[in-house]
């Protein structure tokens, strides 16, 4: 468990799961993006340059989705479940894309 310093000025962002998110999370979020980049590079070691060029933005979007949906900071920051959460997120993204492409009845 990681302890976060808080301040009276530390206000939670509305519309996010759990109400724990704050502007004080910047450094942890940067570390999480770097971890996601590392995990994705491990999964695709011989990736084409075009994919590698897109990787930082992909990781940033994935991190944002994880951050917004996590019920707590500890849940968000748990590297032991990160791969599983990223896989679940990928499934949801694919499912949403299929839903959007489905013709209206």
């Amino acid at each position: 468990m990681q302890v976060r310093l808080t301040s009276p000025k530390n206000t939670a962002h509305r519309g996010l799961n759990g109400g724990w998110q704050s502007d004080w999370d910047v450094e942890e979020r940067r570390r999480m993006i770097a971890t996601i980049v590392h995990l994705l590079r491990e999964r695709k070691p011989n990736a084409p340059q075009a994919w590698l060029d897109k990787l930082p933005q992909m990781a940033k979007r994935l991190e944002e989705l994880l951050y917004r949906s996590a019920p707590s900071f500890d849940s968000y920051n748990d590297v032991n479940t990160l791969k599983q959460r990223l896989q679940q997120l990928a499934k949801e993204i694919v499912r949403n894309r299929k839903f959007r492409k489905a013709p209206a009845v």
Side-chain angles (χ1 to χ4, degrees):
M1 176 187 259
Q2 185 174 351
V3 175
R4 294 184 330 162
L5 298 176
T6 58
S7 161
K9 296 178 187 175
N10 185 9
T11 57
H13 295 286
R14 292 178 180 243
L16 301 176
N17 192 24
W20 58 267
Q21 296 89 344
S22 83
D23 293 335
W24 291 77
D25 297 334
V26 174
E27 285 304 313
E28 288 88 354
R29 293 186 71 185
R30 285 186 181 138
R31 279 194 285 277
M32 182 61 75
I33 291 168
T35 301
I36 292 170
V37 166
H38 177 75
L39 287 173
L40 294 176
R41 280 189 180 187
E42 276 184 344
R43 285 190 61 92
K44 212 169 183 178
N46 299 317
Q49 188 60 45
W51 187 83
L52 292 172
D53 292 343
K54 295 177 186 177
L55 188 54
Q57 274 308 112
M58 286 190 297
K60 189 174 179 178
R61 283 189 298 245
L62 291 168
E63 182 279 333
E64 183 174 358
L65 291 168
L66 291 173
Y67 182 76
R68 289 179 168 275
S69 65
S72 69
F73 177 78
D74 288 336
S75 174
Y76 161 79
N77 206 41
D78 187 352
V79 292
N80 295 316
T81 62
L82 182 57
K83 284 184 183 180
Q84 177 186 358
R85 290 183 290 137
L86 286 170
Q87 289 170 344
Q88 183 62 38
L89 189 55
K91 289 177 186 177
E92 289 175 24
I93 291 169
V94 169
R95 194 171 28 244
N96 287 340
R97 283 185 183 162
K98 286 180 181 179
F99 180 73
R100 278 187 263 151
K101 289 182 180 181
V105 180

